Amino acid sequence: MAEEEAVSMAEPSAAPVLAALGVPEDLPPTPTPEEPHKATVSELLAKYPSSPSPSSSKEEQQTVTVGSENPKPVDSHKIPQSTVSFKEESNIVSDLSDSEKKALDELKNLVEVALKNRDFSPPKPPPPPPAASTTTTTQEVQQQTQENPPLSEEKIASQSLESTGESVVSSEEVATKTEETPVAEQTKEEIGAAEEVFIWGIPFLKDDRSDVILLKFLRAREFKVREAFTMLTNTIKWRRDFEIDALVEEDLGDDLEKVVFTHGVDREGHPVCYNVYGEFQNKELYQKTFSDGQKRLKFLRWRIQFLEKGIRKLDFSPGGISTIFQVNDLKNSPGPGKRELRIATKQALHLLQDNYPEFVAKQVFINVPWWYLAFYAIISPFLTDRTKSKFVFSGPSRTADTLFKYIPPEQVPVQYGGLSVDYCDCNPDFSTADPATELTVKPATKQTVEIFTSEKCFLVWELRVVGWEVSYKAEYVPSSEHGYMVIIQKPKKMAPTDEPIISGSFKIDEPGTVMLTVDNPTSKKKKLLYRFKVKTF
């Protein structure tokens, strides 16, 4: 899908660009008990006009673009900036506009009718043909037919019953008798019971979580009820054919756990998913993942499984978090010349765009290479403003600053400039639950962090300057005039290759101040992160 970048392993978040579609005035009334006719989904959908096919819309759009007489040159090396501020829509029904409420009610009506008619169930297989008792050739059959012309149904029944001494019953009487015979109770129950359909663990029309899911399909199709229902129906069928519920329980290995992983949450509480394309520079991993069709299918199943597990942890209540924040790291990413990766990505995108609507809150691209910017410049005219407003691009030097804008630094992995590392024996004092403070150290200046304590305690801290190239020192200055200053850490030049995070501690016996000083001699401003804890004796 053009609206989500062409090499993304992320679930696309925006619907394709479609032509305008009118909204019907009202759905048909529910049949009364006196009406023998039973409403069907097809009849309801007939009330909705169809929009032009996506292909025709796209062709028209391309014609307009190509036909412009004075196209403006595009600087492919310039980082694109979003011109539209995207704010995630509310899933609370009372916050919707009148037209959106109407569309939701109409879609729920369609789903309700489909559930009653069991339209989402797979069609029953035809009965197997009766097994032949003997094998005869075509010539033998023709000869037997000429010698013994076929008997009528009445004759066959008469001969059969006469041999047993029973009276002969005509076919009309048999049909009449069959109509009078009551249907089996089990069949009645099957006909009367509405179908129960689950998607991402949520049952349709059982509670307001179902509204959140239906709104995703509506937004993916710009609140066009007919198209949203078609998309929903196709998704349910695909999930059944792909056996999604069984796939979630499969063991597909952990070879790709460094390629796609979830870590922390953004400032609004969305879980953050990282896609690290540079891992495919490992030739062994690349061949193991993409070298043939069977391996590409396994990768696709693994990616769908990973996504399904993440979605099932989301909160589908109207006020909950039901979308994901996506980070795409393009550092050392295989270029567009990798045919196998391109095939696998295209397959994944088709499935993700069609079956996982509106699950991305933001798409952030970091370490963006020039060729990707050139590609984006080509596809940008075909993207809607809403889609482009979800995209954020950052070059290598701005990665940390860009991520910190949306994700707290204590939630950002250490490899991307943050403070978040796996909890272990070497760092038991801090976790993602401990907030960090951000400061900017201007060029050719010093920045001092002062931590005052008024009682005996044990002070621990963490400090990081993204990219380093600075000097760092730590001192303790007692409040008493007769106290002595203590040098905790002598001035130390920190290179970019040094450990990214400095940890320190100091036992304080009297009130005083711990001073952490960063000296930035460079001509670039630096991002300083720190946090501390006070432990009493």
Side-chain angles (χ1 to χ4, degrees), residues 11-55:
E11 54 279 15
S13 63
V17 180
L18 299 172
L21 174 65
V23 180
E25 294 298 325
D26 290 295
L27 285 172
T30 303
T32 60
E34 289 75 21
E35 295 175 348
H37 178 68
K38 184 178 180 181
T40 64
V41 171
S42 299
E43 292 170 343
L44 295 179
L45 286 175
K47 302 293 182 180
Y48 299 91
S50 299
S51 67
S53 64
S55 59

mmCIF file of all heavy atoms in Angstrom, residues 11-55:
data_model
loop_
_atom_site.group_PDB
_atom_site.id
_atom_site.type_symbol
_atom_site.label_atom_id
_atom_site.label_comp_id
_atom_site.label_asym_id
_atom_site.label_seq_id
_atom_site.Cartn_x
_atom_site.Cartn_y
_atom_site.Cartn_z
ATOM 1 N N GLU A 11 2.371 -2.637 10.568
ATOM 2 C CA GLU A 11 1.011 -2.702 10.098
ATOM 3 C C GLU A 11 0.558 -1.338 9.623
ATOM 4 O O GLU A 11 0.640 -0.376 10.351
ATOM 5 C CB GLU A 11 0.067 -3.181 11.206
ATOM 6 C CG GLU A 11 0.152 -2.401 12.471
ATOM 7 C CD GLU A 11 1.307 -2.816 13.318
ATOM 8 O OE1 GLU A 11 2.197 -3.495 12.813
ATOM 9 O OE2 GLU A 11 1.328 -2.458 14.469
ATOM 10 N N PRO A 12 0.092 -1.226 8.381
ATOM 11 C CA PRO A 12 -0.289 0.073 7.865
ATOM 12 C C PRO A 12 -1.453 0.649 8.646
ATOM 13 O O PRO A 12 -2.292 -0.058 9.145
ATOM 14 C CB PRO A 12 -0.675 -0.232 6.414
ATOM 15 C CG PRO A 12 0.013 -1.498 6.087
ATOM 16 C CD PRO A 12 0.076 -2.261 7.373
ATOM 17 N N SER A 13 -1.507 1.963 8.713
ATOM 18 C CA SER A 13 -2.472 2.607 9.576
ATOM 19 C C SER A 13 -3.515 3.396 8.842
ATOM 20 O O SER A 13 -4.492 3.809 9.441
ATOM 21 C CB SER A 13 -1.738 3.537 10.533
ATOM 22 O OG SER A 13 -1.086 4.544 9.816
ATOM 23 N N ALA A 14 -3.327 3.670 7.534
ATOM 24 C CA ALA A 14 -4.270 4.532 6.854
ATOM 25 C C ALA A 14 -4.902 3.808 5.685
ATOM 26 O O ALA A 14 -4.331 2.927 5.082
ATOM 27 C CB ALA A 14 -3.571 5.791 6.373
ATOM 28 N N ALA A 15 -6.116 4.204 5.327
ATOM 29 C CA ALA A 15 -6.837 3.576 4.229
ATOM 30 C C ALA A 15 -6.330 4.080 2.899
ATOM 31 O O ALA A 15 -5.779 5.158 2.801
ATOM 32 C CB ALA A 15 -8.314 3.872 4.374
ATOM 33 N N PRO A 16 -6.515 3.300 1.827
ATOM 34 C CA PRO A 16 -6.140 3.790 0.503
ATOM 35 C C PRO A 16 -6.957 5.013 0.127
ATOM 36 O O PRO A 16 -8.029 5.246 0.641
ATOM 37 C CB PRO A 16 -6.458 2.606 -0.416
ATOM 38 C CG PRO A 16 -6.503 1.432 0.483
ATOM 39 C CD PRO A 16 -6.977 1.938 1.802
ATOM 40 N N VAL A 17 -6.415 5.804 -0.843
ATOM 41 C CA VAL A 17 -7.137 6.984 -1.294
ATOM 42 C C VAL A 17 -8.282 6.521 -2.182
ATOM 43 O O VAL A 17 -8.063 5.896 -3.190
ATOM 44 C CB VAL A 17 -6.207 7.918 -2.081
ATOM 45 C CG1 VAL A 17 -6.950 9.144 -2.548
ATOM 46 C CG2 VAL A 17 -5.013 8.293 -1.247
ATOM 47 N N LEU A 18 -9.520 6.832 -1.783
ATOM 48 C CA LEU A 18 -10.691 6.391 -2.528
ATOM 49 C C LEU A 18 -11.512 7.584 -2.966
ATOM 50 O O LEU A 18 -11.446 8.655 -2.375
ATOM 51 C CB LEU A 18 -11.552 5.457 -1.655
ATOM 52 C CG LEU A 18 -10.867 4.175 -1.197
ATOM 53 C CD1 LEU A 18 -11.738 3.453 -0.204
ATOM 54 C CD2 LEU A 18 -10.564 3.278 -2.368
ATOM 55 N N ALA A 19 -12.337 7.402 -3.996
ATOM 56 C CA ALA A 19 -13.191 8.476 -4.475
ATOM 57 C C ALA A 19 -14.328 8.706 -3.497
ATOM 58 O O ALA A 19 -14.628 7.875 -2.650
ATOM 59 C CB ALA A 19 -13.747 8.118 -5.851
ATOM 60 N N ALA A 20 -14.980 9.864 -3.635
ATOM 61 C CA ALA A 20 -16.044 10.220 -2.707
ATOM 62 C C ALA A 20 -17.207 9.262 -2.854
ATOM 63 O O ALA A 20 -17.518 8.791 -3.938
ATOM 64 C CB ALA A 20 -16.513 11.639 -2.978
ATOM 65 N N LEU A 21 -17.850 8.972 -1.730
ATOM 66 C CA LEU A 21 -18.983 8.059 -1.702
ATOM 67 C C LEU A 21 -20.106 8.688 -0.924
ATOM 68 O O LEU A 21 -19.903 9.157 0.187
ATOM 69 C CB LEU A 21 -18.592 6.724 -1.045
ATOM 70 C CG LEU A 21 -19.724 5.712 -0.820
ATOM 71 C CD1 LEU A 21 -20.268 5.244 -2.150
ATOM 72 C CD2 LEU A 21 -19.224 4.549 -0.012
ATOM 73 N N GLY A 22 -21.310 8.713 -1.474
ATOM 74 C CA GLY A 22 -22.456 9.280 -0.768
ATOM 75 C C GLY A 22 -22.884 8.410 0.384
ATOM 76 O O GLY A 22 -22.689 7.208 0.374
ATOM 77 N N VAL A 23 -23.527 8.991 1.399
ATOM 78 C CA VAL A 23 -24.020 8.268 2.564
ATOM 79 C C VAL A 23 -25.528 8.148 2.460
ATOM 80 O O VAL A 23 -26.209 9.137 2.204
ATOM 81 C CB VAL A 23 -23.653 9.007 3.862
ATOM 82 C CG1 VAL A 23 -24.155 8.255 5.068
ATOM 83 C CG2 VAL A 23 -22.147 9.181 3.942
ATOM 84 N N PRO A 24 -26.090 6.965 2.612
ATOM 85 C CA PRO A 24 -27.537 6.799 2.492
ATOM 86 C C PRO A 24 -28.269 7.517 3.612
ATOM 87 O O PRO A 24 -27.718 7.753 4.670
ATOM 88 C CB PRO A 24 -27.724 5.281 2.576
ATOM 89 C CG PRO A 24 -26.548 4.819 3.360
ATOM 90 C CD PRO A 24 -25.423 5.737 2.979
ATOM 91 N N GLU A 25 -29.525 7.847 3.359
ATOM 92 C CA GLU A 25 -30.311 8.553 4.365
ATOM 93 C C GLU A 25 -30.598 7.670 5.562
ATOM 94 O O GLU A 25 -30.376 8.040 6.694
ATOM 95 C CB GLU A 25 -31.632 9.029 3.729
ATOM 96 C CG GLU A 25 -31.441 10.086 2.651
ATOM 97 C CD GLU A 25 -30.821 11.341 3.222
ATOM 98 O OE1 GLU A 25 -31.138 11.677 4.374
ATOM 99 O OE2 GLU A 25 -30.025 11.988 2.525
ATOM 100 N N ASP A 26 -31.139 6.479 5.309
ATOM 101 C CA ASP A 26 -31.493 5.589 6.410
ATOM 102 C C ASP A 26 -31.357 4.156 5.955
ATOM 103 O O ASP A 26 -31.480 3.823 4.770
ATOM 104 C CB ASP A 26 -32.946 5.825 6.861
ATOM 105 C CG ASP A 26 -33.102 7.170 7.551
ATOM 106 O OD1 ASP A 26 -32.509 7.341 8.610
ATOM 107 O OD2 ASP A 26 -33.811 8.035 6.986
ATOM 108 N N LEU A 27 -31.140 3.280 6.912
ATOM 109 C CA LEU A 27 -31.184 1.857 6.639
ATOM 110 C C LEU A 27 -32.641 1.429 6.520
ATOM 111 O O LEU A 27 -33.533 2.067 7.085
ATOM 112 C CB LEU A 27 -30.513 1.076 7.772
ATOM 113 C CG LEU A 27 -28.998 1.141 7.797
ATOM 114 C CD1 LEU A 27 -28.483 0.501 9.068
ATOM 115 C CD2 LEU A 27 -28.407 0.449 6.598
ATOM 116 N N PRO A 28 -32.935 0.334 5.808
ATOM 117 C CA PRO A 28 -34.325 -0.124 5.713
ATOM 118 C C PRO A 28 -34.838 -0.551 7.068
ATOM 119 O O PRO A 28 -34.074 -1.007 7.917
ATOM 120 C CB PRO A 28 -34.221 -1.315 4.745
ATOM 121 C CG PRO A 28 -32.803 -1.752 4.809
ATOM 122 C CD PRO A 28 -32.010 -0.513 5.070
ATOM 123 N N PRO A 29 -36.155 -0.409 7.317
ATOM 124 C CA PRO A 29 -36.706 -0.777 8.620
ATOM 125 C C PRO A 29 -36.602 -2.264 8.871
ATOM 126 O O PRO A 29 -36.589 -3.067 7.944
ATOM 127 C CB PRO A 29 -38.169 -0.315 8.522
ATOM 128 C CG PRO A 29 -38.459 -0.310 7.043
ATOM 129 C CD PRO A 29 -37.177 0.073 6.388
ATOM 130 N N THR A 30 -36.514 -2.637 10.136
ATOM 131 C CA THR A 30 -36.466 -4.039 10.515
ATOM 132 C C THR A 30 -37.807 -4.689 10.216
ATOM 133 O O THR A 30 -38.860 -4.143 10.554
ATOM 134 C CB THR A 30 -36.169 -4.171 12.015
ATOM 135 O OG1 THR A 30 -34.945 -3.493 12.268
ATOM 136 C CG2 THR A 30 -36.036 -5.631 12.410
ATOM 137 N N PRO A 31 -37.846 -5.852 9.548
ATOM 138 C CA PRO A 31 -39.117 -6.483 9.208
ATOM 139 C C PRO A 31 -39.939 -6.779 10.458
ATOM 140 O O PRO A 31 -39.411 -7.199 11.485
ATOM 141 C CB PRO A 31 -38.686 -7.773 8.500
ATOM 142 C CG PRO A 31 -37.298 -7.529 8.051
ATOM 143 C CD PRO A 31 -36.701 -6.606 9.050
ATOM 144 N N THR A 32 -41.235 -6.562 10.354
ATOM 145 C CA THR A 32 -42.149 -6.872 11.461
ATOM 146 C C THR A 32 -42.495 -8.343 11.419
ATOM 147 O O THR A 32 -42.290 -9.027 10.410
ATOM 148 C CB THR A 32 -43.422 -6.038 11.332
ATOM 149 O OG1 THR A 32 -44.034 -6.359 10.078
ATOM 150 C CG2 THR A 32 -43.102 -4.545 11.362
ATOM 151 N N PRO A 33 -43.060 -8.900 12.522
ATOM 152 C CA PRO A 33 -43.413 -10.325 12.538
ATOM 153 C C PRO A 33 -44.362 -10.708 11.418
ATOM 154 O O PRO A 33 -44.361 -11.837 10.968
ATOM 155 C CB PRO A 33 -44.050 -10.499 13.918
ATOM 156 C CG PRO A 33 -43.446 -9.427 14.747
ATOM 157 C CD PRO A 33 -43.256 -8.272 13.822
ATOM 158 N N GLU A 34 -45.203 -9.736 10.933
ATOM 159 C CA GLU A 34 -46.155 -10.077 9.889
ATOM 160 C C GLU A 34 -45.477 -10.239 8.535
ATOM 161 O O GLU A 34 -46.028 -10.847 7.637
ATOM 162 C CB GLU A 34 -47.229 -8.985 9.771
ATOM 163 C CG GLU A 34 -48.211 -8.925 10.944
ATOM 164 C CD GLU A 34 -47.573 -8.301 12.157
ATOM 165 O OE1 GLU A 34 -46.578 -7.581 11.980
ATOM 166 O OE2 GLU A 34 -48.060 -8.525 13.281
ATOM 167 N N GLU A 35 -44.278 -9.665 8.410
ATOM 168 C CA GLU A 35 -43.590 -9.743 7.137
ATOM 169 C C GLU A 35 -42.844 -11.067 7.025
ATOM 170 O O GLU A 35 -41.945 -11.349 7.819
ATOM 171 C CB GLU A 35 -42.599 -8.585 6.992
ATOM 172 C CG GLU A 35 -43.263 -7.225 6.947
ATOM 173 C CD GLU A 35 -42.248 -6.110 6.915
ATOM 174 O OE1 GLU A 35 -41.061 -6.398 7.158
ATOM 175 O OE2 GLU A 35 -42.629 -4.973 6.643
ATOM 176 N N PRO A 36 -43.151 -11.882 6.058
ATOM 177 C CA PRO A 36 -42.472 -13.176 5.939
ATOM 178 C C PRO A 36 -41.040 -13.037 5.452
ATOM 179 O O PRO A 36 -40.235 -13.926 5.631
ATOM 180 C CB PRO A 36 -43.330 -13.922 4.914
ATOM 181 C CG PRO A 36 -43.939 -12.843 4.073
ATOM 182 C CD PRO A 36 -44.158 -11.684 5.015
ATOM 183 N N HIS A 37 -40.727 -11.875 4.839
ATOM 184 C CA HIS A 37 -39.393 -11.711 4.262
ATOM 185 C C HIS A 37 -38.347 -11.465 5.338
ATOM 186 O O HIS A 37 -38.573 -10.718 6.277
ATOM 187 C CB HIS A 37 -39.394 -10.537 3.281
ATOM 188 C CG HIS A 37 -38.043 -10.283 2.681
ATOM 189 N ND1 HIS A 37 -37.440 -11.162 1.815
ATOM 190 C CD2 HIS A 37 -37.183 -9.252 2.846
ATOM 191 C CE1 HIS A 37 -36.272 -10.678 1.453
ATOM 192 N NE2 HIS A 37 -36.090 -9.530 2.063
ATOM 193 N N LYS A 38 -37.177 -12.091 5.200
ATOM 194 C CA LYS A 38 -36.062 -11.928 6.143
ATOM 195 C C LYS A 38 -34.978 -11.079 5.501
ATOM 196 O O LYS A 38 -34.515 -11.373 4.401
ATOM 197 C CB LYS A 38 -35.499 -13.299 6.520
ATOM 198 C CG LYS A 38 -34.409 -13.239 7.577
ATOM 199 C CD LYS A 38 -33.952 -14.642 7.929
ATOM 200 C CE LYS A 38 -32.866 -14.610 8.993
ATOM 201 N NZ LYS A 38 -32.391 -15.960 9.319
ATOM 202 N N ALA A 39 -34.605 -10.003 6.187
ATOM 203 C CA ALA A 39 -33.601 -9.094 5.625
ATOM 204 C C ALA A 39 -32.267 -9.793 5.470
ATOM 205 O O ALA A 39 -31.873 -10.605 6.308
ATOM 206 C CB ALA A 39 -33.448 -7.870 6.517
ATOM 207 N N THR A 40 -31.582 -9.482 4.409
ATOM 208 C CA THR A 40 -30.248 -10.022 4.177
ATOM 209 C C THR A 40 -29.263 -8.871 4.068
ATOM 210 O O THR A 40 -29.632 -7.726 3.803
ATOM 211 C CB THR A 40 -30.207 -10.853 2.884
ATOM 212 O OG1 THR A 40 -30.466 -9.992 1.774
ATOM 213 C CG2 THR A 40 -31.237 -11.969 2.919
ATOM 214 N N VAL A 41 -27.971 -9.210 4.259
ATOM 215 C CA VAL A 41 -26.933 -8.193 4.148
ATOM 216 C C VAL A 41 -26.881 -7.628 2.734
ATOM 217 O O VAL A 41 -26.673 -6.435 2.526
ATOM 218 C CB VAL A 41 -25.566 -8.785 4.547
ATOM 219 C CG1 VAL A 41 -24.455 -7.814 4.230
ATOM 220 C CG2 VAL A 41 -25.556 -9.132 6.022
ATOM 221 N N SER A 42 -27.110 -8.474 1.725
ATOM 222 C CA SER A 42 -27.058 -8.006 0.341
ATOM 223 C C SER A 42 -28.095 -6.933 0.079
ATOM 224 O O SER A 42 -27.830 -5.945 -0.611
ATOM 225 C CB SER A 42 -27.266 -9.192 -0.607
ATOM 226 O OG SER A 42 -26.256 -10.148 -0.436
ATOM 227 N N GLU A 43 -29.293 -7.122 0.639
ATOM 228 C CA GLU A 43 -30.341 -6.125 0.458
ATOM 229 C C GLU A 43 -29.987 -4.814 1.145
ATOM 230 O O GLU A 43 -30.247 -3.728 0.627
ATOM 231 C CB GLU A 43 -31.670 -6.666 0.984
ATOM 232 C CG GLU A 43 -32.212 -7.823 0.151
ATOM 233 C CD GLU A 43 -33.396 -8.497 0.814
ATOM 234 O OE1 GLU A 43 -33.609 -8.299 2.022
ATOM 235 O OE2 GLU A 43 -34.102 -9.212 0.115
ATOM 236 N N LEU A 44 -29.383 -4.919 2.336
ATOM 237 C CA LEU A 44 -28.983 -3.701 3.035
ATOM 238 C C LEU A 44 -27.869 -2.984 2.286
ATOM 239 O O LEU A 44 -27.872 -1.754 2.161
ATOM 240 C CB LEU A 44 -28.542 -4.031 4.458
ATOM 241 C CG LEU A 44 -29.615 -4.592 5.398
ATOM 242 C CD1 LEU A 44 -29.017 -4.881 6.756
ATOM 243 C CD2 LEU A 44 -30.767 -3.610 5.545
ATOM 244 N N LEU A 45 -26.892 -3.748 1.777
ATOM 245 C CA LEU A 45 -25.786 -3.130 1.058
ATOM 246 C C LEU A 45 -26.250 -2.480 -0.234
ATOM 247 O O LEU A 45 -25.618 -1.539 -0.733
ATOM 248 C CB LEU A 45 -24.706 -4.174 0.745
ATOM 249 C CG LEU A 45 -23.851 -4.631 1.925
ATOM 250 C CD1 LEU A 45 -22.917 -5.751 1.497
ATOM 251 C CD2 LEU A 45 -23.036 -3.472 2.479
ATOM 252 N N ALA A 46 -27.355 -2.993 -0.804
ATOM 253 C CA ALA A 46 -27.867 -2.407 -2.038
ATOM 254 C C ALA A 46 -28.292 -0.964 -1.854
ATOM 255 O O ALA A 46 -28.384 -0.198 -2.818
ATOM 256 C CB ALA A 46 -29.042 -3.233 -2.550
ATOM 257 N N LYS A 47 -28.561 -0.575 -0.605
ATOM 258 C CA LYS A 47 -28.952 0.806 -0.325
ATOM 259 C C LYS A 47 -27.769 1.769 -0.396
ATOM 260 O O LYS A 47 -27.945 2.973 -0.427
ATOM 261 C CB LYS A 47 -29.581 0.899 1.074
ATOM 262 C CG LYS A 47 -30.793 -0.001 1.257
ATOM 263 C CD LYS A 47 -31.952 0.449 0.385
ATOM 264 C CE LYS A 47 -33.179 -0.424 0.618
ATOM 265 N NZ LYS A 47 -34.307 0.001 -0.228
ATOM 266 N N TYR A 48 -26.548 1.200 -0.384
ATOM 267 C CA TYR A 48 -25.354 2.047 -0.378
ATOM 268 C C TYR A 48 -24.765 2.107 -1.777
ATOM 269 O O TYR A 48 -24.507 1.070 -2.386
ATOM 270 C CB TYR A 48 -24.302 1.500 0.588
ATOM 271 C CG TYR A 48 -24.760 1.435 2.008
ATOM 272 C CD1 TYR A 48 -25.363 0.291 2.507
ATOM 273 C CD2 TYR A 48 -24.603 2.516 2.846
ATOM 274 C CE1 TYR A 48 -25.802 0.230 3.812
ATOM 275 C CE2 TYR A 48 -25.031 2.458 4.153
ATOM 276 C CZ TYR A 48 -25.629 1.320 4.635
ATOM 277 O OH TYR A 48 -26.065 1.260 5.918
ATOM 278 N N PRO A 49 -24.499 3.297 -2.301
ATOM 279 C CA PRO A 49 -23.862 3.398 -3.624
ATOM 280 C C PRO A 49 -22.423 2.929 -3.566
ATOM 281 O O PRO A 49 -21.757 3.059 -2.542
ATOM 282 C CB PRO A 49 -23.950 4.894 -3.948
ATOM 283 C CG PRO A 49 -24.016 5.565 -2.611
ATOM 284 C CD PRO A 49 -24.775 4.610 -1.707
ATOM 285 N N SER A 50 -21.973 2.375 -4.650
ATOM 286 C CA SER A 50 -20.582 1.910 -4.718
ATOM 287 C C SER A 50 -19.703 3.042 -5.186
ATOM 288 O O SER A 50 -20.088 3.844 -6.040
ATOM 289 C CB SER A 50 -20.465 0.726 -5.685
ATOM 290 O OG SER A 50 -21.263 -0.351 -5.233
ATOM 291 N N SER A 51 -18.488 3.081 -4.632
ATOM 292 C CA SER A 51 -17.525 4.086 -5.077
ATOM 293 C C SER A 51 -16.714 3.524 -6.219
ATOM 294 O O SER A 51 -16.667 2.318 -6.429
ATOM 295 C CB SER A 51 -16.600 4.474 -3.925
ATOM 296 O OG SER A 51 -15.793 3.381 -3.590
ATOM 297 N N PRO A 52 -16.071 4.368 -7.002
ATOM 298 C CA PRO A 52 -15.209 3.872 -8.077
ATOM 299 C C PRO A 52 -14.123 2.978 -7.524
ATOM 300 O O PRO A 52 -13.723 3.104 -6.373
ATOM 301 C CB PRO A 52 -14.626 5.166 -8.695
ATOM 302 C CG PRO A 52 -15.553 6.250 -8.275
ATOM 303 C CD PRO A 52 -16.109 5.825 -6.946
ATOM 304 N N SER A 53 -13.670 2.058 -8.337
ATOM 305 C CA SER A 53 -12.642 1.134 -7.895
ATOM 306 C C SER A 53 -11.366 1.880 -7.598
ATOM 307 O O SER A 53 -11.078 2.914 -8.197
ATOM 308 C CB SER A 53 -12.376 0.076 -8.981
ATOM 309 O OG SER A 53 -11.851 0.705 -10.130
ATOM 310 N N PRO A 54 -10.551 1.365 -6.638
ATOM 311 C CA PRO A 54 -9.289 2.043 -6.309
ATOM 312 C C PRO A 54 -8.385 2.215 -7.512
ATOM 313 O O PRO A 54 -7.667 3.182 -7.631
ATOM 314 C CB PRO A 54 -8.661 1.122 -5.253
ATOM 315 C CG PRO A 54 -9.813 0.364 -4.678
ATOM 316 C CD PRO A 54 -10.807 0.225 -5.789
ATOM 317 N N SER A 55 -8.437 1.252 -8.455
ATOM 318 C CA SER A 55 -7.542 1.353 -9.611
ATOM 319 C C SER A 55 -7.887 2.556 -10.477
ATOM 320 O O SER A 55 -7.020 3.270 -10.949
ATOM 321 C CB SER A 55 -7.607 0.063 -10.437
ATOM 322 O OG SER A 55 -8.931 -0.168 -10.879
#
